């Protein structure tokens, strides 16, 4: 156990101390803070510019400006209207000069018509807001002309009550689903990146030790199996700590931005009603996925003689992860699909796909448990198999870049 | 017997790397393995270390097969030198010693003592990749014996070193043996084996063709060299019965003979030609034995 800890500590420390690791961590943390504060940063740059400007209005009827302003304030719009004292030619000249961005022309008795004139037609946000407000104004006007009662008006505009109802018992209600979806999406993304990033680290580490030939000393000192698992555990711990750092940074960043996670963009992600179990499963499936792919990566890393060959040999593994991510991401919109259910029991896809299902569906507990059991079994088998390949693989030098070398490695390790 | 190899055979596919080798190395002895490249020395060592399992036979250390439980008692210098290029020398030595279950404090202290002994204490905080090859090799040797192993296996410990460093390492290895360690090493330099070892063996194409104490090996070789220096041409003497081989040298030559009596005969004949300036009966060198044995085995 002593030597296990020595390797564990060594793997953890050397990776944590590398410049690339520190820089990556810092960049990600910094980008979290940047992203969380992006809206206020953008505002601070553009604040003194156009958003505070009032919109010049040429009101030919002379009666709409005030009503429109009232309607706009009701819509929480920041647009300020001002009746212009200039004629259209002068306003046009000012837009061309750039001293104002746009102006609005209102005309028509009874039937309201409007023209929004700007330098280019791309600044549509303001125009859309105006159109909305004008539509309401028009409706109110017509209703008045038709002498409709308040209640009649209400009936006319009552929205259709449409609710989607899922018959399958496992599926969550539409409302719950859309809330969970955002969070699950993000967590799948995190697991996906983690099971690529950390196992890759392992493969590189193993290949490095092999190419620098220090491996022969290592495995004559401690058993290859112990060496392999100590390394996997060391880098895994580092991974968890890095992820926790990111999570903490993300939380602090959002705090610092003053949002309470329920407004604006965050309401879509469903942070308002976070279920503890979702996070629990995320960590669990991250760990399982990591161990599964880390053992595979160590196995593949032990086959190459030069670090340059690592990527080539890792390709089949990468394809597995990418397929898993395709299934998971496409499954977000239809987690009930048969192929998603099937994939959630296939060990190499399960870390992403089963997590998707437990995150989005109310499935019985035995389903994730079965999937976890399958994964644990696979990790065990791969560990056993990997240790055999590793034992021979680390002694094998030469042009080894294909999976056929697995057989050679087992032979060499076995002495048969 | 501390290390005993019993009928060990190792095959890789159709290729037999080591063919039915049996050998014992007694405790506290220094045993030298000689052999050309690809003779099976490294494979034999790897089997002894438990890195490779023999196809047939076994290798025992104190009566048992070597396992990782024996790790603290074993030191190994692989033929392919390998250290972490980016790690500092002292950290590296301590790490590798810790893997052999040595305490950290002890390892740190020991590492400094060895670095001082090899006159490179100032490299303690340098990265290995910054060191010259010869100095890296010193570090490598320290790494193999820092944890005070009882069995030290050195695969080509002196290759690529300048004569001064070879002497320094030789002395260190001899001193380490005096402390009671059993040492096995391979070399293709006969003079190193001759100088350091009690026992030796010669491997050729996986087969053990010679083994025993050096004195015994030389005696059973049964041949001697007769060196005669003369101002006259003595080439004609190579026709004397009992002379197997004649090597001309400046001012004379060396005759290989199977029998001491032939030497006396040669002297008499040489004196008939003219005065002899030098006459000597010499033991055969290991190099001659090697060439003879391996050469013959090749035919």
């Amino acid at each position: 156990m002593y030597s296990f800890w020595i390797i564990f500590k060594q793997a953890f420390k050397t990776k944590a101390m590398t410049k690339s690791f520190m820089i990556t961590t810092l960049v990600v943390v910094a980008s979290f803070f940047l992203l969380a504060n992006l809206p206020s940063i953008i505002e601070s740059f553009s604040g003194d510019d156009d958003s505070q400007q009032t919109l010049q209005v040429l009101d030919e009827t002379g009666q709409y400006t005030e009503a429109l302003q009232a309607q706009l304030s009701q819509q929480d719009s920041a647009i300020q209207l001002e009746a212009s004292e200039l004629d259209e030619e002068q306003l046009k000249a000012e837009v061309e000069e750039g001293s104002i961005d746009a102006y609005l022309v209102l005309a028509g008795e009874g039937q309201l018509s409007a023209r929004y004139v700007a330098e280019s037609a791309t600044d549509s946000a303001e125009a859309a807001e105006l159109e909305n407000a004008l539509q309401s104004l028009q409706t109110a006007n017509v209703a008045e002309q038709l002498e409709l009662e308040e209640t009649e008006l209400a009936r006319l505009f009552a929205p259709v009550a449409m609710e989607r109802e899922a018959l399958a018992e496992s599926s969550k209600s539409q409302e719950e689903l859309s809330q969970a979806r955002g969070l699950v999406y993000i967590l799948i993304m995190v697991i996906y990146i983690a099971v690529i990033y950390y196992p890759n680290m392992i493969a590189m580490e193993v290949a490095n030790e092999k190419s620098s030939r220090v491996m022969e000393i290592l495995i004559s000192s401690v058993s290859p199996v112990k060496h392999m698992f100590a390394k996997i555990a060391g880098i895994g711990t580092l991974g968890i700590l890095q992820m926790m750092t990111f999570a903490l940074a993300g939380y602090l960043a959002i705090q610092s931005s003053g949002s309470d996670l329920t407004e604006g963009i965050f309401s879509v992600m469903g942070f308002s009603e976070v279920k503890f179990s979702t996070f629990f499963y995320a960590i669990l499936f991250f760990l399982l996925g990591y161990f599964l792919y880390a053992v595979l990566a160590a196995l593949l890393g032990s086959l190459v003689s030069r670090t340059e060959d690592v990527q080539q040999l890792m390709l089949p593994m990468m394809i597995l992860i990418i397929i898993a991510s395709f299934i998971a991401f496409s499954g977000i919109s239809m987690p009930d699909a048969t192929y998603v259910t099937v994939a959630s029991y296939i060990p190499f896809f399960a870390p992403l796909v089963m997590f998707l299902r437990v995150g989005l569906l109310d499935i019985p507990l035995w389903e994730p448990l079965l999937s976890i059991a399958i994964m644990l079994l696979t990790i065990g088998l791969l560990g056993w198999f990997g240790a055999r390949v590793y034992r021979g693989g680390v002694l094998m030098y030469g042009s080894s870049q294909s999976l056929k070398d697995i057989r050679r490695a087992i032979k060499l390790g076995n002495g048969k | 017997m501390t290390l005993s190899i019993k009928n060990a055979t190792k095959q890789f596919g159709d290729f037999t790397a080591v063919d039915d080798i049996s050998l014992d190395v007694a405790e506290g002895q220094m045993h030298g393995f000689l052999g050309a490249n690809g003779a099976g020395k490294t494979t034999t060592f790897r089997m002894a270390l438990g890195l490779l399992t023999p196809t047939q036979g076994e290798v025992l250390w104190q009566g048992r097969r070597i396992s990782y439980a024996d790790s603290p008692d074993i030191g190994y210098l692989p033929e392919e030198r390998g250290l972490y290029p980016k790690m500092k020398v002292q950290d590296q030595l301590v790490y590798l010693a810790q893997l052999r279950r040595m305490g950290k404090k002890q390892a740190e202290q020991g590492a400094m003592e060895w670095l001082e002994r090899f006159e490179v204490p100032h490299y303690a905080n340098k990265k290995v990749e910054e060191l010259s090859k010869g100095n890296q090799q010193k570090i490598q040797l320290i790494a193999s014996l820092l944890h005070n192993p009882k069995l030290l296996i050195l695969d080509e410990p002196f290759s690529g070193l300048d004569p001064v460093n070879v002497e320094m390492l030789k002395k260190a290895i001899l001193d380490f043996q005096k402390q009671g360690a059993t040492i096995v090493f391979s070399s293709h330099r006969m003079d190193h084996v001759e100088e350091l070892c009690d026992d030796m063996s010669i491997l050729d194409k996986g087969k053990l063709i010679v083994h025993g104490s050096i004195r015994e090996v030389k005696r059973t070789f049964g041949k001697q060299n007769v060196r005669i220096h003369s101002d006259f041409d003595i080439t004609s003497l190579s026709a004397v019965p009992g002379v197997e081989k004649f090597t001309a040298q400046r001012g004379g030559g060396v005759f290989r003979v199977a029998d001491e009596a032939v030497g006396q005969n040669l002297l008499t004949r040489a004196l008939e030609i003219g005065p002899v300036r030098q006459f000597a009966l010499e033991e055969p060198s290991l190099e001659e034995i090697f060439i003879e044995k391996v050469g013959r085995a090749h035919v």
Side-chain angles (χ1 to χ4, degrees):
Chain A
M1 216 46 206
Y2 176 70
S3 40
F4 183 92
W5 280 110
I6 297 294
I7 300 169
F8 176 91
K9 259 172 35 193
Q10 182 69 19
F12 183 89
K13 237 173 55 188
T14 45
K15 269 293 157 193
M17 291 302 190
T18 53
K19 273 193 198 119
S20 63
F21 181 82
M22 287 194 210
I23 291 171
T24 312
T25 312
L26 279 177
V27 166
V28 173
V29 167
S31 65
F32 277 173
F33 278 90
L34 195 71
L35 276 176
N37 291 297
L38 203 57
S40 44
I41 291 170
I42 291 171
E43 235 164 68
S44 74
F45 275 110
S46 52
D48 49 15
D49 206 27
D50 41 1
S51 71
Q52 297 299 334
Q53 212 173 20
T54 53
L55 181 68
Q56 300 290 314
V57 181
L58 258 182
D59 189 353
E60 287 165 10
T61 62
Q63 48 179 322
Y64 289 130
T65 313
E66 229 166 278
L68 186 58
Q69 180 69 72
Q71 185 61 41
L72 281 170
S73 342
Q74 211 183 322
Q75 283 179 17
D76 289 332
S77 167
I79 300 170
Q80 292 292 319
L81 303 176
E82 192 190 9
S84 176
E85 284 151 16
L86 309 171
D87 64 22
E88 176 144 24
E89 285 307 309
Q90 286 169 306
L91 282 171
K92 205 176 261 176
E94 285 204 5
V95 170
E96 274 162 9
E97 249 171 57
S99 58
I100 61 171
D101 286 329
Y103 65 89
L104 185 71
V105 182
L106 294 174
E109 290 286 338
Q111 189 63 34
L112 191 59
S113 75
R115 232 163 3 100
Y116 179 78
V117 183
E119 176 85 56
S120 78
T122 49
D123 185 14
S124 57
E126 200 175 50
E129 272 180 49
L130 286 166
E131 195 178 337
N132 234 332
L134 284 165
Q135 187 62 52
S136 305
L137 200 59
Q138 166 81 355
T139 312
N141 275 346
V142 174
E144 203 175 309
Q145 280 163 23
L146 292 173
E147 293 174 2
L148 288 177
E149 294 282 320
E150 191 94 344
T151 49
E152 289 170 312
L153 201 61
R155 277 178 58 197
L156 195 57
F157 289 104
V160 180
M162 170 160 156
E163 208 175 298
R164 284 199 251 172
E165 201 180 299
L167 279 183
E169 261 183 43
S170 65
S171 79
K172 298 187 172 177
S173 75
Q174 200 59 35
E175 194 185 355
E176 279 176 324
L177 199 57
S178 67
Q179 274 184 344
R181 203 168 269 154
L183 180 66
V184 167
Y185 187 91
I186 290 176
L187 289 175
I188 287 179
M189 195 71 139
V190 170
I191 298 175
Y192 171 63
I193 293 170
V195 297
I196 288 183
Y197 185 56
Y198 299 112
N200 250 304
M201 239 184 209
I202 303 255
M204 285 307 286
E205 189 75 352
V206 171
N208 255 326
E209 281 174 342
K210 235 190 115 180
S211 72
S212 66
R213 304 262 178 173
V214 75
M215 192 57 108
E216 198 169 345
I217 299 183
L218 297 180
I219 62 157
S220 67
S221 307
V222 292
S223 89
V225 183
K226 195 190 265 183
H227 177 249
M228 182 171 97
F229 281 109
K231 215 163 224 352
I232 289 174
I235 291 183
T237 310
L238 182 70
I240 292 169
L241 283 180
Q242 193 180 31
M243 286 293 158
M244 275 163 60
T245 311
F246 290 162
L248 186 70
Y251 177 76
L252 289 177
I254 290 162
Q255 288 282 306
S256 76
S257 76
S259 163
D260 62 358
L261 296 189
T262 52
E263 285 173 1
I265 181 170
F266 298 115
S267 65
V268 186
M269 295 184 185
F271 284 151
S272 49
E273 274 180 56
V274 167
K275 279 173 72 184
F276 169 75
S277 68
T278 307
F279 280 109
F280 172 75
Y281 277 121
I283 293 171
L284 187 66
F285 282 106
F286 159 67
L287 282 178
L288 288 169
Y290 166 73
F291 271 104
L292 188 67
Y293 281 109
V295 172
L296 198 57
L299 184 161
L300 294 173
S302 77
L303 291 176
V304 301
S305 322
R306 299 177 305 151
T307 46
E308 293 91 327
D309 298 334
V310 173
Q311 294 311 323
Q312 194 182 341
L313 217 61
M314 290 280 280
L315 196 65
M317 184 186 121
M318 297 305 262
I319 290 173
L320 274 181
I321 303 179
I322 290 168
I323 293 173
S325 77
F326 278 156
I327 298 172
F329 287 127
S330 71
I332 280 181
S333 51
M334 40 178 174
D336 268 332
T338 318
Y339 76 91
V340 175
T341 313
V342 171
S344 71
Y345 294 107
I346 297 173
F348 292 102
F349 304 151
L352 293 178
V353 182
M354 188 45 101
F355 172 66
L356 167 89
R357 293 188 63 222
V358 292
L360 292 185
L361 305 172
D362 281 325
I363 52 175
L365 189 63
W366 67 265
E367 292 198 23
L369 286 184
L370 176 62
S371 172
I372 288 167
I374 291 174
M375 266 190 278
L376 285 175
L377 189 71
T378 314
I379 291 170
L381 279 174
L382 262 183
W384 173 79
F385 179 73
R388 284 169 47 137
V389 176
Y390 199 85
R391 219 164 95 87
V394 291
L395 288 178
M396 213 164 61
Y397 285 94
S399 60
S400 48
Q401 290 133 28
S402 86
L403 294 177
K404 275 187 234 150
D405 292 318
I406 291 177
R407 263 186 59 214
R408 265 180 68 206
I410 291 177
K411 270 187 174 172
L412 191 60
N414 244 5
K416 294 282 141 49
Chain B
M1 291 302 163
T2 52
L3 184 71
S4 90
I5 303 172
K6 291 185 174 167
N7 302 96
T9 298
K10 180 72 194 175
Q11 286 172 323
F12 300 107
D14 294 336
F15 176 66
T16 306
V18 171
D19 191 359
D20 196 19
I21 287 184
S22 292
L23 189 68
D24 288 319
V25 181
E27 186 166 357
Q29 273 205 333
M30 179 112 64
H31 191 101
F33 268 92
L34 287 170
N37 295 327
K41 291 171 289 178
T42 301
T43 305
T44 306
F45 289 167
R46 283 177 172 177
M47 283 196 286
L49 289 160
L51 293 179
L52 291 175
T53 316
T55 316
Q56 272 159 30
E58 56 185 353
V59 183
L60 301 176
W61 158 249
Q62 290 174 341
R64 290 174 290 115
R65 279 180 64 171
I66 284 189
S67 75
Y68 286 106
D70 299 312
S71 175
D73 289 343
I74 293 163
Y76 178 40
L77 176 86
E79 184 182 15
E80 291 285 354
R81 310 286 187 256
L83 293 166
Y84 290 99
K86 308 261 179 220
M87 212 193 284
K88 285 177 186 161
V89 168
Q90 198 183 4
D91 292 348
Q92 181 133 229
L93 289 172
V94 172
Y95 176 57
L96 294 175
Q98 277 182 305
L99 288 184
R100 298 267 191 199
R101 284 175 247 156
M102 193 187 202
K104 190 174 182 184
K105 282 265 144 59
Q106 265 177 298
E108 277 169 353
Q109 200 189 333
M112 268 331 279
E113 282 169 19
W114 276 106
L115 287 173
E116 268 158 33
R117 164 154 198 184
F118 284 154
E119 299 168 8
V120 286
H122 47 287
Y123 289 147
N125 285 313
K126 282 212 164 157
K127 286 181 186 170
V128 168
E129 61 184 358
E130 294 168 31
L131 268 56
S132 72
K133 231 184 148 195
N135 282 325
Q136 284 187 20
Q137 197 148 329
K138 289 181 185 170
I139 308 303
Q140 195 92 53
L141 184 69
I142 297 175
S144 67
L145 47 70
L146 177 56
H147 58 287
N148 293 316
K150 294 196 184 112
L151 173 65
L152 183 59
I153 295 180
L154 307 168
D155 207 346
E156 302 282 353
F158 308 117
S159 68
L161 283 176
D162 65 59
V164 178
N165 282 321
V166 168
E167 285 313 308
M168 196 184 275
L169 261 60
K170 263 191 209 160
K171 184 145 189 323
I173 291 170
L174 273 172
D175 286 351
F176 199 71
Q177 186 206 6
K178 279 183 199 140
Q179 289 172 27
T182 307
I183 299 174
V184 177
F185 80 91
S186 75
S187 179
H188 47 251
R189 287 285 299 273
M190 320 294 158
D191 50 338
H192 294 156
V193 174
E194 195 150 10
E195 190 183 337
L196 295 170
C197 294
D198 312 300
D199 285 1
M200 57 155 297
S201 25
I202 296 176
L203 277 177
D204 182 51
K205 296 193 164 173
K207 288 197 172 64
L208 191 66
I209 47 177
V210 173
H211 103 274
S213 75
I214 289 185
R215 204 180 311 141
E216 199 181 316
V217 166
K218 285 187 173 175
R219 197 181 300 139
T220 51
F221 188 61
K223 280 156 199 174
Q224 280 180 315
N225 289 330
V226 178
R227 183 183 297 277
I228 299 175
H229 282 193
S230 167
D231 290 333
F232 298 89
D233 184 15
I234 53 169
T235 317
S236 59
L237 295 182
S238 60
V240 171
V243 172
E244 294 186 354
K245 199 178 156 206
F246 172 70
T247 315
Q249 286 178 341
R250 193 195 309 207
V254 178
F255 301 83
R256 177 173 305 157
V257 297
D259 193 337
E260 249 178 64
V262 182
Q264 302 307 321
N265 192 10
L266 276 172
L267 179 61
T268 326
R269 298 283 197 91
L271 285 167
E272 284 167 11
I273 298 170
V276 168
R277 291 155 56 89
Q278 192 190 349
F279 172 81
L281 269 172
E282 293 171 351
E283 275 193 323
S285 69
L286 278 183
E287 187 144 10
E288 280 174 287
I289 297 177
F290 182 83
I291 291 169
E292 178 96 1
K293 292 282 183 182
V294 171
R296 189 177 293 161
H298 272 290
V299 175

